[in-house]
Structure formats: C-alpha cells, structure tokens
Amino acid sequence: MQPNLLLDRDGHRIVHGDSRLAASYRVALDGQPAALLHADPPYCLLVRRNARGQERSAKGAKIEHEAVTRFEDVGRYRLFTRAWLTPAVDALAPDGHALVWTNFLGRAPIRETAEALGLCFHGEVQWAKLGKQGQGNERLARIYEVALVFGRAPAADLGPADQSPPRALIGGYDPDGEGRTWQDHPNHKAWSVLEPLLRWYSRPGDRVLEPFSGSGSTAAACVRLDRRVSAIERREHWAATSTDRVSAALDASRG
C-alpha cells in the first residue's frame, strides 16, 4: 500500500501506511531520525485450533476485536517482526532507544531480531494491572504486559544517569477513560503507563516514532509532553482516529 500523510501539523505526522515498508517511514519522518522508537505491535497470539487442528470458528470462540492479529506459529511472528523492525531501527538516531511492548511468546522473537539488527538489550519494563478492590481496601496487581528496552550502546557503557530507569509500572488499564473516549482499542496504553517511559527515554522536542499507532495513545501523550511524534497505522479507521486524537490534543495544548 502507498503511505498517505493524514496529518502534518506543528512537527507531528500521522501516516496511513504499512510499518513493514520503508516508504511509510520516509513519509512519517521526512528525513528526521527518531530519538525513541516506541512500538506496540500485534502480540504473538497464535491462531486458535481445535483438537483436530482445524481453525476454531467464531461459534466456538469469543469473536475478537477487528484490530487483533493472530499468527499461524511463532516462526511467522518472527518474520513479521523482522519485516517491521528492520526499517524502524534504520530510522533510529545513533544514540536512540527502542521500547517494544509484547507478551510472553513475543519476547524471544523481538529480542533476537533487535539484537541481530545491532541493538543492545537493556532490560524490560513490567506493567502490572490493578484488579478490583477487595476486603480491607486490598487490591492485587498482575503482570499484564512487558516492554523490552533496547539502546544503540550496551547497557554497561551507559552513564550513572541512565542506571535507574522505570522497571515496573502499576495502574489500571484505562483509569482516565481515554480508551473509552477513543473507541476502546484493545491495545490502548494509559497515560500513567506512557508518561514515565516517554519522559525517561526522550526529551522535549525529540522525535518519537510509533509504527503501530492504533487509537493514538502514544501520539497524544507525545503532544502533552512536547515531543514530536511520527506515527504509522495500517488500518484506515484507526489511522483516522489517531489523526483526530492528535488534532484534539494539539487544540487543547493551545488552550
């Protein structure tokens, strides 16, 4: 598909395009390197099959959200990861960082691919999701998702200021209601999850690359934190939603 620039405003760019294609990055970045690659790609979810190996129909399983992607096996996911991560890493600045959200099955394919492309693994950030309040005001949290952290330089070469980044985030899935406001994308990331990561791994004025924009959670957070975002989204509906959300955030920032 040919990338289509939907928004180009105040240094922010939203592209309707395929993140596996270098052309999408050229349009999104317009020649500017990204200080931070923040990616929330489809997770390594496998095709559901019954005991006979047949794909389960909608009657036998809960109908999934149209934004959910499933893969035949981990090998297919590995190929997908290589396809999008290669041009994304090419767009990263020499001193840049990359954060990639994933589930358990996706950890190894993403890490191995990133390291093969020259990135150095720095660790992971765990997002613990708060459950409902129990007796005595007790609330339990379970590990919900993780973000793998990479840098151009090995972690051992980093200075003292880089040694204590966020490693665990605790909060609800949508505590501020932004996910519901912007059509309940299944991979919505709350402001409370995005803010500390964007503050630590980028500075005001830096460019943040988001190859899987979805409903625009990261893009809108970048506007609030005075980062410039270059976002790509393959599904036309969600690319338009990201555009609307960033436009609304820009309007709000002007008071």
Side-chain angles (χ1 to χ4, degrees), residues 176 188-196 198-199 220-222 224-225:
D176 51 13
H188 167 77
K189 292 294 183 294
W191 163 256
S192 58
V193 171
L194 294 170
E195 180 195 16
L198 291 174
R199 286 190 186 278
C222 287
R224 292 176 65 177
L225 294 171

Side-chain angles (χ1 to χ4, degrees), residues 116-190:
L117 293 171
L119 295 185
C120 302
F121 182 63
H122 288 188
E124 65 180 42
V125 180
Q126 298 180 334
W127 175 19
K129 182 183 176 183
L130 286 171
K132 295 181 179 180
Q133 184 172 311
Q135 295 181 349
N137 294 323
E138 180 184 70
R139 298 184 71 182
L140 299 179
R142 62 184 179 87
I143 301 300
Y144 194 58
E145 299 169 37
V146 296
L148 305 184
V149 183
F150 303 93
R152 290 289 195 186
D157 294 345
L158 300 179
D162 298 302
Q163 296 303 317
S164 301
R167 289 303 186 205
L169 304 167
I170 301 176
Y173 172 73
D174 189 22
D176 51 13
E178 284 290 294
R180 292 188 297 276
T181 299
W182 297 99
Q183 305 178 44
D184 279 322
H185 192 285
N187 292 334
H188 167 77
K189 292 294 183 294

Side-chain angles (χ1 to χ4, degrees), residues 79-139:
L79 292 174
F80 167 77
T81 299
R82 181 85 185 192
W84 75 261
L85 196 51
T86 298
V89 169
D90 285 344
L92 198 59
D95 59 348
H97 288 86
L99 282 80
V100 185
W101 289 94
T102 186
N103 62 349
F104 177 77
L105 279 179
R107 275 185 171 121
I110 290 171
R111 179 173 177 177
E112 291 166 7
T113 302
E115 291 180 331
L117 293 171
L119 295 185
C120 302
F121 182 63
H122 288 188
E124 65 180 42
V125 180
Q126 298 180 334
W127 175 19
K129 182 183 176 183
L130 286 171
K132 295 181 179 180
Q133 184 172 311
Q135 295 181 349
N137 294 323
E138 180 184 70
R139 298 184 71 182

Side-chain angles (χ1 to χ4, degrees), residues 5 7-15 27-30 32-38 198 202-213 216-232 242-243 245-247 249-250:
L5 183 62
L7 180 139
D8 183 6
R9 179 179 169 188
D10 297 344
H12 304 280
R13 287 185 160 225
I14 307 290
V15 173
V27 175
L29 291 160
D30 193 29
Q32 303 174 68
L36 173 63
L37 164 63
H38 180 279
L198 291 174
S202 65
R203 294 170 293 186
D206 277 352
R207 182 154 300 277
V208 177
L209 173 61
E210 174 55 270
F212 302 92
S213 189
S217 303
T218 302
C222 287
V223 173
R224 292 176 65 177
L225 294 171
D226 195 29
R227 276 69 171 166
R228 303 294 174 260
V229 69
S230 291
I232 301 167
S242 290
T243 299
R245 189 168 180 178
V246 169
S247 295
L250 286 168

